[in-house]
Amino acid sequence: MAETTKLYGLGRRKTAVAQALLVEEPGKRTINEIDFNVYFPIVSMQSMALGPLTLTSQHEKYGFTVRVHGGGKHSQAGAVRLALARALVELDEGFRKQLKDTGMLTRDPRMKERKKFGLKRARRAPQFSKR
């Protein structure tokens, strides 16, 4: 049996965490053991998650299996994108500049601000009543 290339990548976005395994099976695209197109039915999310593979022209050579949890679907798509980008850099260091220039290797630091005591939400104060 031939040895297949297995490359791992970890991606995070908000509270979503994705662990990607890149394999040399172009048709295999699963997320949490569900078909990729079923898990991300919206085309914009599909293109976001597949961004690193299409940018480096590796979408016809490699497939992936991803475990993702936390966050919403949009955050999960961003986490999958970062995980696949990191796995591709592990495959070939030459992809680093190409992926970095398009911002696919940058972890998005934006998080939800925590609620403060005495307030309704992070910044929303209780309504003021003069009388």
Side-chain angles (χ1 to χ4, degrees):
M1 191 166 124
E3 183 69 27
T4 58
T5 305
K6 290 185 179 180
L7 302 158
Y8 294 95
L10 180 75
R12 292 187 183 97
R13 168 82 169 91
K14 292 188 177 180
T15 58
V17 180
Q19 299 167 319
L21 171 66
L22 208 60
V23 291
E24 287 186 21
E25 296 176 46
K28 185 174 185 178
R29 292 180 177 172
T30 59
I31 297 181
N32 292 345
E33 297 175 5
I34 299 172
D35 185 54
F36 174 75
N37 295 323
V38 174
Y39 196 82
F40 291 131
I42 301 170
V43 177
S44 63
M45 288 187 199
Q46 290 176 5
S47 62
M48 177 194 288
L50 289 176
L53 289 173
T54 53
L55 181 71
T56 57
S57 303
Q58 300 297 313
H59 61 281
E60 294 174 359
K61 189 176 179 188
Y62 291 97
F64 55 84
T65 302
V66 179
R67 284 180 31 212
V68 64
H69 64 275
K73 291 283 186 174
H74 197 80
S75 301
Q76 288 181 353
V80 169
R81 179 173 80 167
L82 181 58
L84 289 175
R86 286 180 174 173
L88 283 170
V89 168
E90 190 178 321
L91 170 72
D92 183 8
E93 197 66 32
F95 293 143
R96 179 177 291 279
K97 177 159 176 41
Q98 193 177 13
L99 290 167
K100 196 163 180 75
D101 288 346
T102 55
M104 291 190 189
L105 281 177
T106 306
R107 194 240 189 250
D108 194 342
R110 294 176 295 175
M111 298 284 286
K112 184 174 180 176
E113 191 174 340
R114 79 172 199 86
K115 181 194 176 299
K116 279 79 167 189
F117 58 90
L119 301 180
K120 299 281 189 188
R121 297 191 304 258
R123 298 184 184 204
R124 168 82 168 94
Q127 188 170 4
F128 175 74
S129 174
K130 198 165 192 175
R131 286 174 192 84

